[in-house]
Amino acid sequence: MDKTVNQKAWFLVLPVFLVVAFSAVLPLMTVVNYSMQDTFGNNQFFWNGVGWFKELLDPSTDLGGRFLASLGRNLFFSMVILAIEVPLGIVVALSMPREGWTVAACLIILALPLLIPWNVVGTIWQIFGRPDIGLLGYVLNAIGIDYNYVSNEVDAWVTVIVMDVWHWTSLVALLCYAGLKSIPDAYYQAAQIDGASRWAVFKAIQLPKMNRVLLIAVLLRFMDSFMIYTEPFVVTGGGPGNSTTFVSIELVKIALGQFDLGKAAALSLVYNLIILIVCWVFYTVMTNAGVERKVQASSEPAAEPKPSAALKPVPALKPKEGVA
Amino acid sequence: MHSIPGRRLIMGLFLVFLLLPIYWLVNMSFKTNAEIVSTMTLWPHTPTLQHYKRIFTDESWYSGYINSLEYVVLNTIISISVALPAAYAFSRYRFLGDKHLFFWLLSNRMAPAAVYALPFFNLYSAIGLFDTPWAVALAHCIFNVPLAVWILEGFVSGVPREIDETAFLDGYSFPRFFIKILVPLIASGIGVAAFFCFMFSWVELLLARTLTSVQAKPIAAIMTRTVSAAGMDWGLLAAAGVLTIIPGALVIWFVRNYIARGFALGRV
């Protein structure tokens, strides 16, 4: 479907542009303004040029050290949760029931953690993990594991990661499930005729079909985990020490805690820039995938007759329309 | 056809993993504080409704839910009404800077809330909206409007272009076509987009907390503040938490068939 060129379409987009520009461009200009200045309170500002940026990227200074440390922690956190959530989400999506009321029940339970306010997610795990009143902490300590997320760094990390897996694996699973459902039954039937193994079906049919949604899942999860704030803040408050202080927590500490506007603004800009780059990669890959899909779709009718012709002699396999 | 061996076991274990922490919260909300602190019980031995009663009778508590719902609903209405025409434009037309605009919108969906907390505080204080539901509703537009545009664009693209052309040939004006024909056709898409706006506005805390102080304080902020001030009233905290889960659980029922598609930004 080719789009027609119509500059009047701008009138339709204008409301969105105004609303988002009001919320995005104006505040961002404030940030740029602050990032170049220093303040001694009383609303007196002094020109500081790129001073904050230099300090920010130099690990020997206090600001730079804190920023780079939290950035490192944040990247490590994102990698770990991606390594857990993506495979687990695929497995869960493959384990979804085929039909009946259990499908709806599973979908609703899966979506439940996604709809809980983030601070309540923190509260749930804060309570759940406490050795004195929480089931998890109590059981772990009862079977002889010395677990305390308030004082032990490793335990704090494990808690934050398990919490994120609990909170967001469902997103990956739901996306994969949507991808799996778009696979026509004929593909599976053809595979069965060829005597393909379970693993071969996964590798040759399911994984390629899930490519696109998996991409969305990975990038959404990367970016959301990269700006995580509320949940670890509620559970560990960034501690013990600074061990679970991620970039957003550090930024809020500097901006709203110490009211160090210049430093906070410089950090914000660098932070935003990183997100913007990742976002650009995401967007480019997505639009390319969209083009590929269109090409695929237009070439599909030619390829289609083969599997369906091969199917005819097998009446035992009836297509399950009810699944979709 | 797309299942794996042992799927019932895997699914069962995963659902238990998801439900156990929630069960613990619910369990705790029905216990007295004495029971919570003194013994480890798997279900409330002396069930009580005192925590819920306190929330529903104490205005400083239940007003938090009203405040939260107020800005969430405002935000959903604003987001959907500005996103609808834009989604149509992105789906049907090519215009100067459309791709850049689309990318710019996406980048705002991904921008960390922490970056905007302070400038928003300045901005809304300056225009006198600080501590009103409008401030939070407008602030949440930064990630909800792009999301709504994305989801709706996916749904509008699913409507055949021939329908537009036929309607215009029949003499429909653009606004009339939009309201009489297009909106009913993508009603489910609007429902899904509204659901996601509702959800993301409901779960967000950082901006909501920064932009309010007394009048419009959301329930999430009341939970963090009151509890730390009055020591740890675990039962009350748990009850407040349970009550925040309910609106999400209710709306989820209506969109259960579209959830997955919505999370894929309408692009499955």
Side-chain angles (χ1 to χ4, degrees):
Chain A
M1 188 159 70
D2 283 323
K3 297 177 184 178
T4 47
V5 178
N6 184 350
Q7 305 299 350
K8 280 188 198 145
W10 258 101
F11 288 111
L12 298 172
V13 185
L14 203 61
V16 160
F17 181 76
L18 290 179
V19 168
V20 179
F22 176 74
S23 302
V25 177
L26 284 181
L28 214 57
M29 273 154 52
T30 329
V31 174
V32 174
N33 183 20
Y34 281 147
S35 72
M36 304 284 183
Q37 304 188 55
D38 195 2
T39 172
F40 298 113
N42 297 332
N43 266 332
Q44 283 182 298
F45 286 94
F46 300 91
W47 176 249
N48 193 28
V50 292
W52 295 128
F53 293 97
K54 271 188 188 155
E55 206 174 303
L56 193 67
L57 299 175
D58 179 3
S60 59
T61 61
D62 172 54
L63 177 67
R66 280 166 68 185
F67 169 63
L68 293 173
S70 65
L71 186 66
R73 277 192 288 267
N74 217 153
L75 286 174
F76 178 69
F77 172 75
S78 298
M79 291 307 139
V80 170
I81 60 121
L82 278 181
I84 299 175
E85 286 174 14
V86 171
L88 185 61
I90 295 176
V91 169
V92 170
L94 288 170
S95 310
M96 278 293 284
R98 286 171 211 180
E99 52 203 298
W101 62 272
T102 43
V103 179
C106 285
L107 280 179
I108 289 172
I109 296 175
L110 280 180
L112 203 54
L114 302 169
L115 280 148
I116 299 176
W118 295 344
N119 71 310
V120 179
V121 171
T123 307
I124 287 175
W125 281 88
Q126 187 191 20
I127 291 173
F128 196 58
R130 275 180 72 103
D132 52 347
I133 61 168
L135 188 63
L136 177 72
Y138 184 83
V139 169
L140 282 181
N141 278 298
I143 58 172
I145 300 168
D146 187 20
Y147 167 86
N148 186 339
Y149 67 82
V150 182
S151 58
N152 185 314
E153 287 187 12
V154 178
D155 293 349
W157 263 90
V158 170
T159 312
V160 173
I161 287 170
V162 172
M163 174 173 67
D164 201 82
V165 169
W166 179 84
H167 192 182
W168 289 111
T169 301
S170 302
L171 173 70
V172 183
L174 286 172
L175 284 171
C176 290
Y177 178 65
L180 283 175
K181 282 225 314 188
S182 68
I183 304 177
D185 248 10
Y187 283 53
Y188 293 114
Q189 290 159 352
Q192 202 168 2
I193 290 160
D194 288 348
S197 69
R198 194 43 248 176
W199 175 245
V201 170
F202 177 71
K203 243 178 63 178
I205 300 177
Q206 293 175 325
L207 204 56
K209 276 284 177 182
M210 280 196 292
N211 248 345
R212 204 176 145 74
V213 280
L214 267 182
L215 191 75
I216 299 178
V218 167
L219 286 152
L220 274 183
R221 278 317 299 132
F222 175 77
M223 278 181 277
D224 283 346
S225 65
F226 196 64
M227 52 197 200
I228 191 166
Y229 171 81
T230 314
E231 302 96 312
F233 180 76
V234 172
V235 174
T236 64
N242 272 332
S243 56
T244 52
T245 302
F246 300 117
V247 183
S248 276
I249 297 179
E250 194 72 81
L251 175 59
V252 173
K253 261 192 210 168
I254 297 173
L256 298 175
Q258 311 168 354
F259 239 71
D260 244 331
L261 300 184
K263 287 180 184 177
L267 205 166
S268 298
L269 284 183
V270 174
Y271 192 14
N272 233 356
L273 201 65
I274 297 173
I275 296 269
L276 206 63
I277 293 168
V278 178
C279 222
W280 181 77
V281 173
F282 177 34
Y283 183 73
T284 316
V285 175
M286 280 273 287
T287 33
N288 285 349
V291 172
E292 269 165 40
R293 188 173 59 158
K294 269 173 200 155
V295 172
Q296 225 177 20
S298 58
S299 65
E300 228 152 55
E304 197 75 328
K306 274 183 204 159
S308 56
L311 272 175
K312 269 177 195 153
V314 194
L317 295 167
K318 34 178 195 270
K320 281 184 204 142
E321 277 307 316
V323 183
Chain B
M1 251 338 257
H2 53 63
S3 48
I4 51 173
R7 68 195 169 89
R8 286 206 179 81
L9 184 70
I10 295 170
M11 201 65 203
L13 284 178
F14 190 70
L15 293 185
V16 167
F17 169 63
L18 289 188
L19 287 176
L20 209 54
I22 299 179
Y23 168 71
W24 198 247
L25 190 78
V26 176
N27 172 23
M28 214 151 144
S29 71
F30 288 111
K31 287 179 182 177
T32 58
N33 276 325
E35 188 182 343
I36 293 172
V37 180
S38 62
T39 49
M40 177 59 61
T41 47
L42 288 178
W43 64 89
H45 288 281
T46 48
T48 170
L49 287 173
Q50 67 178 62
H51 307 300
Y52 289 99
K53 216 166 137 191
R54 164 115 190 259
I55 290 173
F56 282 119
T57 50
D58 185 346
E59 208 215 321
S60 67
W61 272 99
Y62 70 73
S63 67
Y65 288 98
I66 300 172
N67 292 340
S68 291
L69 282 174
E70 216 171 318
Y71 69 70
V72 168
V73 170
L74 264 180
N75 170 270
T76 307
I77 295 172
I78 300 173
S79 303
I80 298 295
S81 45
V82 300
L84 259 178
Y88 182 80
F90 280 122
S91 156
R92 292 291 196 260
Y93 301 120
R94 188 164 291 165
F95 48 93
L96 193 66
D98 53 351
K99 284 186 180 135
H100 298 98
L101 191 66
F102 211 63
F103 171 65
W104 176 68
L105 284 175
L106 170 70
S107 74
N108 283 315
R109 160 68 183 81
M110 303 301 178
V115 168
Y116 288 99
L118 186 65
F120 274 171
F121 178 80
N122 287 347
L123 176 69
Y124 290 109
S125 302
I127 57 175
L129 282 178
F130 179 73
D131 204 17
T132 65
W134 285 98
V136 186
L138 283 173
H140 283 176
C141 279
I142 197 172
F143 48 80
N144 271 349
V145 168
L147 187 74
V149 172
W150 269 59
I151 293 176
L152 288 173
E153 198 262 350
F155 278 90
V156 175
S157 296
V159 175
R161 177 178 291 245
E162 286 72 30
I163 291 186
D164 308 21
E165 285 157 5
T166 320
F168 292 136
L169 282 178
D170 284 352
Y172 276 77
S173 66
F174 183 75
R176 190 149 160 257
F177 153 75
F178 208 84
I179 293 164
K180 290 264 170 180
I181 295 179
L182 189 71
V183 168
L185 275 176
I186 55 164
S188 59
I190 295 175
V192 172
F195 165 77
F196 277 89
C197 290
F198 182 94
M199 166 186 154
F200 279 105
S201 187
W202 179 252
V203 298
E204 207 276 341
L205 168 73
L206 180 58
L207 290 177
R209 196 186 59 185
T210 313
L211 293 177
T212 55
S213 64
V214 186
Q215 291 302 313
K217 194 151 73 162
I219 181 60
I222 292 176
M223 277 178 72
T224 52
R225 286 181 194 169
T226 312
V227 168
S228 50
M232 273 300 180
D233 190 343
W234 292 113
L236 191 62
L237 183 68
V242 171
L243 288 176
T244 60
I245 300 177
I246 291 173
L250 284 181
V251 284
I252 219 173
W253 177 256
F254 295 107
V255 289
R256 60 190 184 283
N257 295 325
Y258 302 98
I259 288 172
R261 193 171 169 199
F263 274 115
L265 303 170
R267 272 166 179 71
V268 173

